[in-house]
Amino acid sequence: MEGIVVALSALIFGLTLLVWSADRFVNGSAATARHFGVPPLLIGMVIVGFGTSAPKMLVSALAALENSPGIAIGNAYGSNIANIGVILGISALINPIMFHSNILRKELPILTIVTGLSILLLTDLQISLIDGIILLLLFLGLVLWTLQQGIRQKADTMGMEMERELNSEKKLWAGLSYGSLPG
């Protein structure tokens, strides 16, 4: 019984820490976007995307080093399925997701093309060194293109909406901090 209590306590503590750190990470990313004048959506796609993908990259790299390609490929495809299906699905259940973003209209066809390319590269049941180089060069090109597009087109509807939400949250926290000061 004591082991269950310890395990549940660790789980609750870990989830609490995860939620707190995720909130700090998002706020820091939004501050970075404001500081550099980059649309928040772009920062979310690049910085937050890299931050949340780092553990998956590590798992896949370790699996590849230990000659477990099924884990590496399953991790990559499984995390994408979970990100697109589960996370968007749960988010839509909580609150309908409406977006009019030009960035997303460009990104979704690219996601489809890259997924198709990776399936094509897997038709021989392996991802070779050349396949890896192709995917990494494509990735680098897409990141650079996305950054260029995001910086050039600052007037993005979804980005402006996110900026309004971040500003209202900042005012709320400033009011709470001010209200708690001795008077």
Side-chain angles (χ1 to χ4, degrees), residues 121-139:
L121 292 175
L122 277 171
T123 56
D124 61 356
L125 300 179
Q126 71 173 357
I127 295 181
S128 67
L129 178 65
I130 300 297
D131 295 343
I133 291 171
I134 290 169
L135 290 171
L136 285 173
L137 288 175
L138 179 63
F139 171 73

Side-chain angles (χ1 to χ4, degrees), residues 80-158:
N80 283 316
I81 290 168
N83 285 340
I84 294 170
V86 176
I87 294 171
L88 279 179
I90 290 172
S91 298
L93 286 175
I94 294 169
N95 192 21
I97 301 170
M98 308 228 344
F99 57 89
H100 308 286
S101 172
N102 292 327
I103 292 174
L104 288 178
R105 286 192 187 125
K106 292 176 185 174
E107 294 290 330
L108 289 177
I110 291 172
L111 173 65
T112 305
I113 291 167
V114 170
T115 302
L117 175 64
S118 66
I119 291 169
L120 182 67
L121 292 175
L122 277 171
T123 56
D124 61 356
L125 300 179
Q126 71 173 357
I127 295 181
S128 67
L129 178 65
I130 300 297
D131 295 343
I133 291 171
I134 290 169
L135 290 171
L136 285 173
L137 288 175
L138 179 63
F139 171 73
L140 181 63
L142 286 172
V143 168
L144 293 174
W145 177 78
T146 301
L147 287 171
Q148 179 190 28
Q149 293 294 313
I151 291 169
R152 190 180 322 154
Q153 300 172 354
K154 292 186 187 253
D156 182 66
T157 308
M158 189 173 189

Side-chain angles (χ1 to χ4, degrees), residues 62-84:
L62 290 174
L65 286 172
E66 297 203 6
N67 202 22
S68 299
I71 292 176
I73 291 172
N75 180 39
Y77 281 105
S79 64
N80 283 316
I81 290 168
N83 285 340
I84 294 170

